[in-house]
Amino acid sequence: MRVLQPPGWPRPRGYANGIAARGELVVVAGMIGWDTEGVIRSPDIADQVRQTLRNIVAVLAEAGAEPTHIVRMTWYVTDVDAYVRAYREIGVAFREIIGDFRAAMTAVEVSRLVEPDAKVEIEVTAVIPDPPQAGAAEQE
């Protein structure tokens, strides 16, 4: 994976302007903060983000992918002000569950999500890198 940073542009905080990657594409549908029983346990946006990120990691694992393979995330939030107020808690959850890396990210406010109690929905694209090709000397 290669971060795309045009010369002279300021470095973004917490995301990348773009990512280039080769390998197996993994697309994760919009995940929300419900648990394995399909229940949203908390009305708090930071709590919902934490559970949403856990759900994303679980789906990635089904493909043999890890959080470091994420190249793009789109966040849909129902209240951008609440999202901004929760930056610190969201950042802690992100680092604990996803790690400290950069993906191309977009966050947009929407009037509502399909699940009425959901305050955040996150879509993810990941790329599992192609395995390194063995050199001619290794093949002999």
Side-chain angles (χ1 to χ4, degrees):
M1 179 166 57
R2 183 169 46 99
V3 174
L4 306 176
Q5 177 65 31
W9 283 28
R11 291 206 176 275
R13 289 183 17 187
Y15 67 95
N17 290 306
I19 299 291
R22 290 179 188 227
E24 181 181 0
L25 185 67
V26 179
V27 179
V28 179
M31 294 284 112
I32 62 172
W34 54 22
D35 62 16
T36 57
E37 296 173 4
V39 176
I40 294 175
R41 302 286 178 184
S42 172
D44 180 73
I45 190 167
D47 291 342
Q48 288 192 22
V49 166
R50 180 176 294 281
Q51 183 61 49
T52 300
L53 295 174
R54 287 184 187 126
N55 295 345
I56 288 166
V57 170
V59 173
L60 288 172
E62 287 297 306
E66 300 174 2
T68 57
H69 297 139
I70 296 170
V71 296
R72 183 193 63 79
M73 300 179 90
T74 303
W75 297 55
Y76 303 95
V77 298
T78 58
D79 182 344
V80 76
D81 293 328
Y83 172 75
V84 170
R85 283 191 304 273
Y87 269 166
R88 184 180 183 106
E89 292 172 86
I90 289 170
V92 168
F94 190 92
R95 286 185 296 281
E96 284 176 10
I97 299 163
I98 302 297
D100 188 25
F101 75 100
R102 303 295 182 252
M105 291 191 205
T106 301
V108 295
E109 183 178 64
V110 295
S111 61
R112 70 166 282 198
L113 299 165
V114 173
E115 178 61 39
D117 294 331
K119 295 188 177 180
V120 63
E121 184 168 335
I122 305 172
E123 295 176 336
V124 167
T125 302
V127 177
I128 302 171
D130 290 331
Q133 295 185 356
E138 294 174 331
Q139 292 177 357
E140 295 176 1

